[in-house]
mmCIF file of all heavy atoms in Angstrom:
data_model
loop_
_atom_site.group_PDB
_atom_site.id
_atom_site.type_symbol
_atom_site.label_atom_id
_atom_site.label_comp_id
_atom_site.label_asym_id
_atom_site.label_seq_id
_atom_site.Cartn_x
_atom_site.Cartn_y
_atom_site.Cartn_z
ATOM 1 N N GLY A 1 60.013 -36.527 -18.429
ATOM 2 C CA GLY A 1 58.906 -35.737 -18.032
ATOM 3 C C GLY A 1 57.678 -36.522 -17.600
ATOM 4 O O GLY A 1 56.924 -36.067 -16.691
ATOM 5 N N GLN A 2 57.428 -37.670 -18.228
ATOM 6 C CA GLN A 2 56.140 -38.315 -18.024
ATOM 7 C C GLN A 2 55.937 -38.889 -16.642
ATOM 8 O O GLN A 2 55.118 -38.466 -15.795
ATOM 9 C CB GLN A 2 55.938 -39.434 -19.070
ATOM 10 C CG GLN A 2 54.512 -39.889 -19.175
ATOM 11 C CD GLN A 2 54.139 -40.906 -18.078
ATOM 12 O OE1 GLN A 2 55.011 -41.676 -17.673
ATOM 13 N NE2 GLN A 2 52.862 -40.864 -17.662
ATOM 14 N N GLU A 3 56.770 -39.834 -16.287
ATOM 15 C CA GLU A 3 56.637 -40.502 -14.995
ATOM 16 C C GLU A 3 56.866 -39.566 -13.803
ATOM 17 O O GLU A 3 56.161 -39.532 -12.800
ATOM 18 C CB GLU A 3 57.622 -41.708 -14.891
ATOM 19 C CG GLU A 3 57.288 -42.664 -13.778
ATOM 20 C CD GLU A 3 56.063 -43.534 -14.003
ATOM 21 O OE1 GLU A 3 55.587 -43.517 -15.160
ATOM 22 O OE2 GLU A 3 55.647 -44.251 -13.089
ATOM 23 N N SER A 4 57.946 -38.772 -13.937
ATOM 24 C CA SER A 4 58.296 -37.891 -12.823
ATOM 25 C C SER A 4 57.185 -36.845 -12.580
ATOM 26 O O SER A 4 56.833 -36.548 -11.384
ATOM 27 C CB SER A 4 59.595 -37.139 -13.108
ATOM 28 O OG SER A 4 59.521 -36.391 -14.301
ATOM 29 N N THR A 5 56.547 -36.342 -13.660
ATOM 30 C CA THR A 5 55.465 -35.334 -13.460
ATOM 31 C C THR A 5 54.223 -35.934 -12.915
ATOM 32 O O THR A 5 53.583 -35.347 -12.018
ATOM 33 C CB THR A 5 55.190 -34.613 -14.804
ATOM 34 O OG1 THR A 5 56.420 -34.139 -15.359
ATOM 35 C CG2 THR A 5 54.241 -33.505 -14.618
ATOM 36 N N SER A 6 53.827 -37.127 -13.386
ATOM 37 C CA SER A 6 52.606 -37.767 -12.845
ATOM 38 C C SER A 6 52.822 -38.125 -11.420
ATOM 39 O O SER A 6 51.845 -37.986 -10.628
ATOM 40 C CB SER A 6 52.262 -39.013 -13.683
ATOM 41 O OG SER A 6 53.375 -39.916 -13.732
ATOM 42 N N VAL A 7 53.990 -38.568 -11.017
ATOM 43 C CA VAL A 7 54.229 -38.895 -9.578
ATOM 44 C C VAL A 7 54.164 -37.601 -8.779
ATOM 45 O O VAL A 7 53.583 -37.563 -7.642
ATOM 46 C CB VAL A 7 55.614 -39.589 -9.412
ATOM 47 C CG1 VAL A 7 55.991 -39.661 -7.924
ATOM 48 C CG2 VAL A 7 55.570 -40.947 -10.010
ATOM 49 N N LEU A 8 54.727 -36.495 -9.312
ATOM 50 C CA LEU A 8 54.715 -35.224 -8.582
ATOM 51 C C LEU A 8 53.208 -34.760 -8.338
ATOM 52 O O LEU A 8 52.908 -34.284 -7.313
ATOM 53 C CB LEU A 8 55.486 -34.168 -9.367
ATOM 54 C CG LEU A 8 55.408 -32.712 -8.817
ATOM 55 C CD1 LEU A 8 56.091 -32.678 -7.491
ATOM 56 C CD2 LEU A 8 56.136 -31.804 -9.819
ATOM 57 N N LEU A 9 52.421 -34.964 -9.374
ATOM 58 C CA LEU A 9 51.030 -34.493 -9.249
ATOM 59 C C LEU A 9 50.273 -35.338 -8.207
ATOM 60 O O LEU A 9 49.478 -34.819 -7.433
ATOM 61 C CB LEU A 9 50.340 -34.658 -10.594
ATOM 62 C CG LEU A 9 50.728 -33.649 -11.694
ATOM 63 C CD1 LEU A 9 50.152 -34.001 -13.072
ATOM 64 C CD2 LEU A 9 50.333 -32.205 -11.279
ATOM 65 N N VAL A 10 50.524 -36.652 -8.215
ATOM 66 C CA VAL A 10 49.884 -37.538 -7.167
ATOM 67 C C VAL A 10 50.330 -37.092 -5.792
ATOM 68 O O VAL A 10 49.522 -37.000 -4.852
ATOM 69 C CB VAL A 10 50.262 -39.004 -7.437
ATOM 70 C CG1 VAL A 10 49.833 -39.862 -6.260
ATOM 71 C CG2 VAL A 10 49.541 -39.534 -8.649
ATOM 72 N N TRP A 11 51.616 -36.868 -5.624
ATOM 73 C CA TRP A 11 52.152 -36.488 -4.269
ATOM 74 C C TRP A 11 51.572 -35.164 -3.867
ATOM 75 O O TRP A 11 51.270 -34.920 -2.687
ATOM 76 C CB TRP A 11 53.661 -36.490 -4.366
ATOM 77 C CG TRP A 11 54.354 -36.202 -3.038
ATOM 78 C CD1 TRP A 11 55.170 -35.191 -2.712
ATOM 79 C CD2 TRP A 11 54.142 -36.968 -1.822
ATOM 80 N NE1 TRP A 11 55.585 -35.232 -1.409
ATOM 81 C CE2 TRP A 11 54.958 -36.337 -0.863
ATOM 82 C CE3 TRP A 11 53.467 -38.085 -1.503
ATOM 83 C CZ2 TRP A 11 55.074 -36.788 0.443
ATOM 84 C CZ3 TRP A 11 53.518 -38.530 -0.170
ATOM 85 C CH2 TRP A 11 54.349 -37.905 0.775
ATOM 86 N N THR A 12 51.427 -34.218 -4.804
ATOM 87 C CA THR A 12 50.838 -32.921 -4.491
ATOM 88 C C THR A 12 49.432 -33.060 -4.029
ATOM 89 O O THR A 12 49.004 -32.466 -3.022
ATOM 90 C CB THR A 12 50.869 -32.045 -5.797
ATOM 91 O OG1 THR A 12 52.193 -31.845 -6.249
ATOM 92 C CG2 THR A 12 50.222 -30.630 -5.459
ATOM 93 N N MET A 13 48.631 -33.944 -4.630
ATOM 94 C CA MET A 13 47.253 -34.179 -4.283
ATOM 95 C C MET A 13 47.201 -34.824 -2.884
ATOM 96 O O MET A 13 46.323 -34.482 -2.056
ATOM 97 C CB MET A 13 46.552 -35.093 -5.293
ATOM 98 C CG MET A 13 46.375 -34.381 -6.602
ATOM 99 S SD MET A 13 45.588 -35.480 -7.866
ATOM 100 C CE MET A 13 43.883 -35.439 -7.216
ATOM 101 N N ILE A 14 48.124 -35.681 -2.554
ATOM 102 C CA ILE A 14 48.162 -36.318 -1.257
ATOM 103 C C ILE A 14 48.426 -35.250 -0.163
ATOM 104 O O ILE A 14 47.746 -35.224 0.867
ATOM 105 C CB ILE A 14 49.237 -37.438 -1.215
ATOM 106 C CG1 ILE A 14 48.807 -38.610 -2.055
ATOM 107 C CG2 ILE A 14 49.497 -37.882 0.238
ATOM 108 C CD1 ILE A 14 49.939 -39.680 -2.229
ATOM 109 N N LEU A 15 49.422 -34.388 -0.439
ATOM 110 C CA LEU A 15 49.774 -33.357 0.549
ATOM 111 C C LEU A 15 48.662 -32.389 0.733
ATOM 112 O O LEU A 15 48.398 -31.938 1.865
ATOM 113 C CB LEU A 15 51.044 -32.626 0.092
ATOM 114 C CG LEU A 15 52.346 -33.435 0.161
ATOM 115 C CD1 LEU A 15 53.486 -32.612 -0.404
ATOM 116 C CD2 LEU A 15 52.666 -33.958 1.579
ATOM 117 N N LEU A 16 47.953 -32.059 -0.324
ATOM 118 C CA LEU A 16 46.826 -31.150 -0.191
ATOM 119 C C LEU A 16 45.674 -31.777 0.555
ATOM 120 O O LEU A 16 44.940 -31.052 1.281
ATOM 121 C CB LEU A 16 46.365 -30.661 -1.628
ATOM 122 C CG LEU A 16 47.254 -29.728 -2.350
ATOM 123 C CD1 LEU A 16 46.769 -29.456 -3.757
ATOM 124 C CD2 LEU A 16 47.366 -28.366 -1.585
ATOM 125 N N SER A 17 45.511 -33.062 0.345
ATOM 126 C CA SER A 17 44.451 -33.754 1.137
ATOM 127 C C SER A 17 44.774 -33.872 2.626
ATOM 128 O O SER A 17 43.868 -33.856 3.458
ATOM 129 C CB SER A 17 44.217 -35.160 0.578
ATOM 130 O OG SER A 17 45.298 -35.989 0.730
ATOM 131 N N ARG A 18 46.068 -33.904 2.898
ATOM 132 C CA ARG A 18 46.486 -33.990 4.324
ATOM 133 C C ARG A 18 46.477 -32.587 4.982
ATOM 134 O O ARG A 18 46.351 -32.544 6.198
ATOM 135 C CB ARG A 18 47.892 -34.612 4.437
ATOM 136 C CG ARG A 18 47.951 -36.061 4.038
ATOM 137 C CD ARG A 18 49.338 -36.629 4.074
ATOM 138 N NE ARG A 18 49.962 -36.515 5.404
ATOM 139 C CZ ARG A 18 51.182 -36.894 5.676
ATOM 140 N NH1 ARG A 18 51.992 -37.421 4.710
ATOM 141 N NH2 ARG A 18 51.696 -36.753 6.885
ATOM 142 N N HIS A 19 46.669 -31.593 4.203
ATOM 143 C CA HIS A 19 46.736 -30.218 4.733
ATOM 144 C C HIS A 19 45.619 -29.388 3.991
ATOM 145 O O HIS A 19 45.940 -28.601 3.160
ATOM 146 C CB HIS A 19 48.089 -29.592 4.525
ATOM 147 C CG HIS A 19 49.223 -30.456 5.117
ATOM 148 N ND1 HIS A 19 49.491 -30.459 6.451
ATOM 149 C CD2 HIS A 19 50.094 -31.290 4.532
ATOM 150 C CE1 HIS A 19 50.526 -31.284 6.637
ATOM 151 N NE2 HIS A 19 50.855 -31.849 5.478
ATOM 152 N N GLN A 20 44.384 -29.594 4.473
ATOM 153 C CA GLN A 20 43.297 -29.051 3.701
ATOM 154 C C GLN A 20 43.182 -27.536 3.852
ATOM 155 O O GLN A 20 42.513 -26.863 3.010
ATOM 156 C CB GLN A 20 41.970 -29.710 4.167
ATOM 157 C CG GLN A 20 41.934 -31.166 3.798
ATOM 158 C CD GLN A 20 40.579 -31.828 4.019
ATOM 159 O OE1 GLN A 20 39.571 -31.102 4.147
ATOM 160 N NE2 GLN A 20 40.588 -33.135 4.090
ATOM 161 N N ASN A 21 43.801 -26.947 4.857
ATOM 162 C CA ASN A 21 43.874 -25.505 4.937
ATOM 163 C C ASN A 21 44.667 -24.887 3.775
ATOM 164 O O ASN A 21 44.256 -23.872 3.226
ATOM 165 C CB ASN A 21 44.447 -25.042 6.290
ATOM 166 C CG ASN A 21 45.839 -25.552 6.476
ATOM 167 O OD1 ASN A 21 46.149 -26.715 6.112
ATOM 168 N ND2 ASN A 21 46.716 -24.761 7.137
ATOM 169 N N TRP A 22 45.722 -25.560 3.416
ATOM 170 C CA TRP A 22 46.469 -25.121 2.240
ATOM 171 C C TRP A 22 45.771 -25.319 1.000
ATOM 172 O O TRP A 22 45.852 -24.555 -0.013
ATOM 173 C CB TRP A 22 47.864 -25.746 2.194
ATOM 174 C CG TRP A 22 48.866 -25.161 3.211
ATOM 175 C CD1 TRP A 22 49.215 -25.677 4.450
ATOM 176 C CD2 TRP A 22 49.574 -23.980 3.058
ATOM 177 N NE1 TRP A 22 50.084 -24.799 5.054
ATOM 178 C CE2 TRP A 22 50.340 -23.747 4.196
ATOM 179 C CE3 TRP A 22 49.679 -22.974 2.027
ATOM 180 C CZ2 TRP A 22 51.176 -22.664 4.376
ATOM 181 C CZ3 TRP A 22 50.520 -21.914 2.189
ATOM 182 C CH2 TRP A 22 51.269 -21.712 3.360
ATOM 183 N N GLN A 23 44.954 -26.438 0.937
ATOM 184 C CA GLN A 23 44.166 -26.752 -0.255
ATOM 185 C C GLN A 23 43.170 -25.604 -0.478
ATOM 186 O O GLN A 23 42.972 -25.167 -1.608
ATOM 187 C CB GLN A 23 43.426 -28.091 -0.026
ATOM 188 C CG GLN A 23 42.521 -28.491 -1.188
ATOM 189 C CD GLN A 23 41.788 -29.726 -0.892
ATOM 190 O OE1 GLN A 23 40.653 -29.918 -1.398
ATOM 191 N NE2 GLN A 23 42.341 -30.631 -0.088
ATOM 192 N N GLN A 24 42.555 -25.200 0.623
ATOM 193 C CA GLN A 24 41.530 -24.101 0.492
ATOM 194 C C GLN A 24 42.185 -22.805 0.127
ATOM 195 O O GLN A 24 41.656 -22.031 -0.788
ATOM 196 C CB GLN A 24 40.832 -23.917 1.849
ATOM 197 C CG GLN A 24 39.750 -22.909 1.853
ATOM 198 C CD GLN A 24 38.615 -23.195 0.921
ATOM 199 O OE1 GLN A 24 38.327 -24.358 0.596
ATOM 200 N NE2 GLN A 24 37.925 -22.123 0.350
ATOM 201 N N ARG A 25 43.376 -22.486 0.617
ATOM 202 C CA ARG A 25 44.065 -21.267 0.264
ATOM 203 C C ARG A 25 44.479 -21.249 -1.205
ATOM 204 O O ARG A 25 44.374 -20.237 -1.856
ATOM 205 C CB ARG A 25 45.271 -21.059 1.215
ATOM 206 C CG ARG A 25 44.933 -20.739 2.620
ATOM 207 C CD ARG A 25 46.186 -20.699 3.491
ATOM 208 N NE ARG A 25 47.088 -19.587 3.110
ATOM 209 C CZ ARG A 25 48.240 -19.351 3.653
ATOM 210 N NH1 ARG A 25 48.675 -20.183 4.636
ATOM 211 N NH2 ARG A 25 48.973 -18.383 3.232
ATOM 212 N N ALA A 26 44.955 -22.431 -1.677
ATOM 213 C CA ALA A 26 45.328 -22.491 -3.053
ATOM 214 C C ALA A 26 44.137 -22.317 -3.997
ATOM 215 O O ALA A 26 44.238 -21.644 -4.991
ATOM 216 C CB ALA A 26 46.001 -23.883 -3.277
ATOM 217 N N ARG A 27 43.013 -22.953 -3.634
ATOM 218 C CA ARG A 27 41.757 -22.829 -4.416
ATOM 219 C C ARG A 27 41.328 -21.354 -4.494
ATOM 220 O O ARG A 27 40.974 -20.909 -5.548
ATOM 221 C CB ARG A 27 40.705 -23.712 -3.872
ATOM 222 C CG ARG A 27 39.413 -23.730 -4.649
ATOM 223 C CD ARG A 27 38.303 -24.592 -4.052
ATOM 224 N NE ARG A 27 38.686 -25.991 -4.121
ATOM 225 C CZ ARG A 27 39.047 -26.742 -3.062
ATOM 226 N NH1 ARG A 27 39.048 -26.103 -1.818
ATOM 227 N NH2 ARG A 27 39.328 -28.018 -3.153
ATOM 228 N N GLU A 28 41.336 -20.680 -3.345
ATOM 229 C CA GLU A 28 40.893 -19.301 -3.337
ATOM 230 C C GLU A 28 41.816 -18.431 -4.215
ATOM 231 O O GLU A 28 41.366 -17.487 -4.859
ATOM 232 C CB GLU A 28 40.919 -18.763 -1.883
ATOM 233 C CG GLU A 28 39.796 -19.454 -1.050
ATOM 234 C CD GLU A 28 39.932 -19.050 0.414
ATOM 235 O OE1 GLU A 28 40.889 -18.371 0.842
ATOM 236 O OE2 GLU A 28 38.976 -19.403 1.217
ATOM 237 N N GLU A 29 43.102 -18.686 -4.153
ATOM 238 C CA GLU A 29 44.052 -17.900 -4.959
ATOM 239 C C GLU A 29 43.810 -18.070 -6.422
ATOM 240 O O GLU A 29 43.805 -17.144 -7.221
ATOM 241 C CB GLU A 29 45.476 -18.299 -4.588
ATOM 242 C CG GLU A 29 46.560 -17.495 -5.357
ATOM 243 C CD GLU A 29 47.956 -18.036 -5.148
ATOM 244 O OE1 GLU A 29 48.210 -19.217 -5.325
ATOM 245 O OE2 GLU A 29 48.825 -17.192 -4.796
ATOM 246 N N VAL A 30 43.608 -19.341 -6.893
ATOM 247 C CA VAL A 30 43.365 -19.626 -8.273
ATOM 248 C C VAL A 30 42.098 -18.923 -8.748
ATOM 249 O O VAL A 30 42.023 -18.286 -9.808
ATOM 250 C CB VAL A 30 43.196 -21.177 -8.544
ATOM 251 C CG1 VAL A 30 42.710 -21.426 -9.906
ATOM 252 C CG2 VAL A 30 44.608 -21.814 -8.360
ATOM 253 N N LEU A 31 41.019 -18.961 -7.915
ATOM 254 C CA LEU A 31 39.722 -18.301 -8.296
ATOM 255 C C LEU A 31 39.931 -16.809 -8.342
ATOM 256 O O LEU A 31 39.316 -16.123 -9.138
ATOM 257 C CB LEU A 31 38.639 -18.688 -7.311
ATOM 258 C CG LEU A 31 38.179 -20.153 -7.360
ATOM 259 C CD1 LEU A 31 37.263 -20.496 -6.242
ATOM 260 C CD2 LEU A 31 37.513 -20.457 -8.735
ATOM 261 N N GLN A 32 40.734 -16.274 -7.411
ATOM 262 C CA GLN A 32 40.952 -14.814 -7.420
ATOM 263 C C GLN A 32 41.714 -14.367 -8.601
ATOM 264 O O GLN A 32 41.393 -13.288 -9.178
ATOM 265 C CB GLN A 32 41.743 -14.500 -6.140
ATOM 266 C CG GLN A 32 41.996 -12.942 -6.016
ATOM 267 C CD GLN A 32 42.837 -12.660 -4.759
ATOM 268 O OE1 GLN A 32 43.255 -13.544 -4.049
ATOM 269 N NE2 GLN A 32 43.114 -11.377 -4.518
ATOM 270 N N VAL A 33 42.673 -15.133 -9.077
ATOM 271 C CA VAL A 33 43.532 -14.778 -10.222
ATOM 272 C C VAL A 33 42.818 -14.943 -11.515
ATOM 273 O O VAL A 33 42.805 -14.114 -12.422
ATOM 274 C CB VAL A 33 44.879 -15.486 -10.226
ATOM 275 C CG1 VAL A 33 45.685 -15.174 -11.499
ATOM 276 C CG2 VAL A 33 45.694 -15.096 -8.983
ATOM 277 N N PHE A 34 42.135 -16.085 -11.736
ATOM 278 C CA PHE A 34 41.528 -16.453 -13.000
ATOM 279 C C PHE A 34 40.024 -16.348 -13.012
ATOM 280 O O PHE A 34 39.460 -16.220 -14.127
ATOM 281 C CB PHE A 34 41.980 -17.907 -13.375
ATOM 282 C CG PHE A 34 43.413 -18.064 -13.606
ATOM 283 C CD1 PHE A 34 44.203 -18.841 -12.654
ATOM 284 C CD2 PHE A 34 44.122 -17.468 -14.664
ATOM 285 C CE1 PHE A 34 45.555 -19.007 -12.855
ATOM 286 C CE2 PHE A 34 45.425 -17.621 -14.886
ATOM 287 C CZ PHE A 34 46.139 -18.399 -13.953
ATOM 288 N N GLY A 35 39.345 -16.495 -11.889
ATOM 289 C CA GLY A 35 37.904 -16.518 -11.925
ATOM 290 C C GLY A 35 37.413 -17.735 -12.731
ATOM 291 O O GLY A 35 37.813 -18.826 -12.531
ATOM 292 N N ASN A 36 36.565 -17.410 -13.763
ATOM 293 C CA ASN A 36 36.019 -18.461 -14.603
ATOM 294 C C ASN A 36 36.731 -18.439 -15.983
ATOM 295 O O ASN A 36 36.319 -19.111 -16.892
ATOM 296 C CB ASN A 36 34.522 -18.279 -14.813
ATOM 297 C CG ASN A 36 33.739 -18.522 -13.556
ATOM 298 O OD1 ASN A 36 34.082 -19.393 -12.725
ATOM 299 N ND2 ASN A 36 32.736 -17.691 -13.298
ATOM 300 N N HIS A 37 37.835 -17.760 -16.050
ATOM 301 C CA HIS A 37 38.609 -17.655 -17.276
ATOM 302 C C HIS A 37 39.638 -18.732 -17.444
ATOM 303 O O HIS A 37 40.053 -19.380 -16.444
ATOM 304 C CB HIS A 37 39.268 -16.274 -17.445
ATOM 305 C CG HIS A 37 38.327 -15.124 -17.338
ATOM 306 N ND1 HIS A 37 37.412 -14.810 -18.337
ATOM 307 C CD2 HIS A 37 38.098 -14.198 -16.373
ATOM 308 C CE1 HIS A 37 36.683 -13.789 -17.997
ATOM 309 N NE2 HIS A 37 37.084 -13.352 -16.780
ATOM 310 N N LYS A 38 40.125 -18.959 -18.700
ATOM 311 C CA LYS A 38 41.115 -19.950 -18.930
ATOM 312 C C LYS A 38 42.482 -19.487 -18.333
ATOM 313 O O LYS A 38 42.764 -18.302 -18.384
ATOM 314 C CB LYS A 38 41.320 -20.164 -20.398
ATOM 315 C CG LYS A 38 40.202 -20.845 -21.106
ATOM 316 C CD LYS A 38 40.529 -21.012 -22.620
ATOM 317 C CE LYS A 38 39.385 -21.741 -23.333
ATOM 318 N NZ LYS A 38 39.712 -21.911 -24.768
#
């Protein structure tokens, strides 16, 4: 779990930085579902 998950997270951040429209959509969805809650 450790190495594979940390690599997956890094790669996800790279892809989101390359495709910022999807980054914005993902952020809006998270805020819509959770707002300021845990």
